Amino acid sequence: MNWSIFKGLLNGANKYSTAFGRIWLSLVFIFRVLVYLVTAEHVWSDDHKDFDCNTLQPGCSNVCFDEFFPVSHVRLWALQLILVTCPSLLVVMHVAYREVQEKRYREAYGENNGRLYLNPGKKRGGLWWTYVCSLVFKASVDIAFLYVFHSLYPKYILPPVVKCHADPCPNIVDCFISKPSEKNIFTLFMVATAAICILLNLVELIYLVSKRCHKCLAARKARAMYTGHHPHGTTSSCKQDDLLSGDLIFLGSDSHPPLLPDRPRDHVKKTIL
């Protein structure tokens, strides 16, 4: 698999991520993808060839290997890395969609007729939800794969000798795994980095949610103070908060006024995109 193309696509997610997200991407590239490419594939390249059993019964070694290694570590890690990084690509695609919409809007109504999005890459509205859902998905994928690894290989440890009694083995035979200590070191390393990535995703999720709650509370407090001083200004205050807190589009009018303080905003509506 050409991981360099995949890395180039994910690099675009850096400028749309928070500080925790950038640390997560660096950790994935350096300690997971790089370790996988440089060492893991080579360590597990001879696992089937060097899986020896103390019997000459034809087919016994193949059956015992399949029983103990139903799925190879490297294939599980490859699938895990693909699934855990795909949500970042969705964020990049969402921003690209916004930029295309903004470009079409300017071509249709001109450069001096306002903007569809104040900042296409800012995490507001639908993009905020896309980013939050991506964090939940990434953490869930890592947790699920840690559970799968633990189910297939208890305590993530490979024993040097395994007992096998599957057909066509004539009786209980001993099978020997090649380089078990080296494989255990890399397995524990990948498990530890996955756990750190889960922690970073959860910290970033808490940061984004708490930041959004803080902004909502501050806006509500400011609105309450404004209402107390200007009882008849509630409607205009709510419209102003909607204007400044979300992504904007113009609906219901043939003319599209720019987003300026001295122009009417009756045709401005919040969108979830």
Side-chain angles (χ1 to χ4, degrees), residues 173-244:
V173 298
D174 293 331
C175 295
F176 306 92
I177 300 174
S178 65
K179 298 180 286 189
S181 299
E182 188 176 5
K183 291 179 179 178
N184 288 334
I185 291 173
F186 283 107
T187 300
L188 294 177
F189 180 83
M190 296 295 280
V191 169
T193 53
I196 295 174
C197 287
I198 293 172
L199 180 62
L200 285 174
N201 288 329
L202 295 178
V203 170
E204 187 176 11
L205 180 63
I206 294 173
Y207 168 75
L208 288 175
V209 174
S210 61
K211 185 178 179 181
R212 174 57 64 92
C213 292
H214 177 74
K215 286 184 177 180
C216 291
L217 291 175
R220 185 175 298 179
K221 183 178 179 180
R223 189 184 303 117
M225 294 178 60
Y226 182 82
T227 305
H229 290 86
H230 306 277
H232 300 290
T234 306
T235 303
S236 60
S237 177
C238 292
K239 288 183 178 180
Q240 186 176 8
D241 290 336
D242 287 341
L243 178 65
L244 297 178

Side-chain angles (χ1 to χ4, degrees), residues 153-184:
Y153 312 104
K155 297 182 180 180
Y156 308 106
I157 299 298
L158 299 178
V161 182
V162 295
K163 303 289 185 179
C164 178
H165 53 83
D167 292 333
C169 298
N171 48 35
I172 299 178
V173 298
D174 293 331
C175 295
F176 306 92
I177 300 174
S178 65
K179 298 180 286 189
S181 299
E182 188 176 5
K183 291 179 179 178
N184 288 334

Side-chain angles (χ1 to χ4, degrees), residues 239 243 249-251 253 255-269:
K239 288 183 178 180
L243 178 65
I249 60 173
F250 299 103
L251 296 175
S253 175
S255 60
H256 300 268
L259 303 180
L260 296 175
D262 57 343
R263 298 298 298 271
R265 300 179 182 179
D266 296 333
H267 304 291
V268 176
K269 183 179 179 181

Side-chain angles (χ1 to χ4, degrees), residues 84-211:
V84 85
T85 50
C86 279
S88 299
L89 298 180
L90 293 178
V91 174
V92 176
M93 292 170 60
H94 196 156
V95 175
Y97 169 78
R98 285 182 161 194
E99 292 175 348
V100 170
Q101 293 295 102
E102 176 68 24
K103 182 179 178 181
R104 290 178 179 175
Y105 178 84
R106 293 186 180 183
E107 291 176 353
Y109 301 106
E111 295 288 339
N112 299 324
N113 238 359
R115 298 186 62 182
L116 187 61
Y117 297 102
L118 296 177
N119 185 355
K122 194 169 184 63
K123 291 182 284 293
R124 289 177 174 174
L127 184 60
W128 187 88
W129 284 105
T130 301
Y131 196 90
V132 168
C133 291
S134 71
L135 295 176
V136 175
F137 184 82
K138 289 187 289 189
S140 301
V141 167
D142 276 333
I143 292 173
F145 272 89
L146 288 181
Y147 175 78
V148 170
F149 272 106
H150 188 272
S151 300
L152 295 177
Y153 312 104
K155 297 182 180 180
Y156 308 106
I157 299 298
L158 299 178
V161 182
V162 295
K163 303 289 185 179
C164 178
H165 53 83
D167 292 333
C169 298
N171 48 35
I172 299 178
V173 298
D174 293 331
C175 295
F176 306 92
I177 300 174
S178 65
K179 298 180 286 189
S181 299
E182 188 176 5
K183 291 179 179 178
N184 288 334
I185 291 173
F186 283 107
T187 300
L188 294 177
F189 180 83
M190 296 295 280
V191 169
T193 53
I196 295 174
C197 287
I198 293 172
L199 180 62
L200 285 174
N201 288 329
L202 295 178
V203 170
E204 187 176 11
L205 180 63
I206 294 173
Y207 168 75
L208 288 175
V209 174
S210 61
K211 185 178 179 181

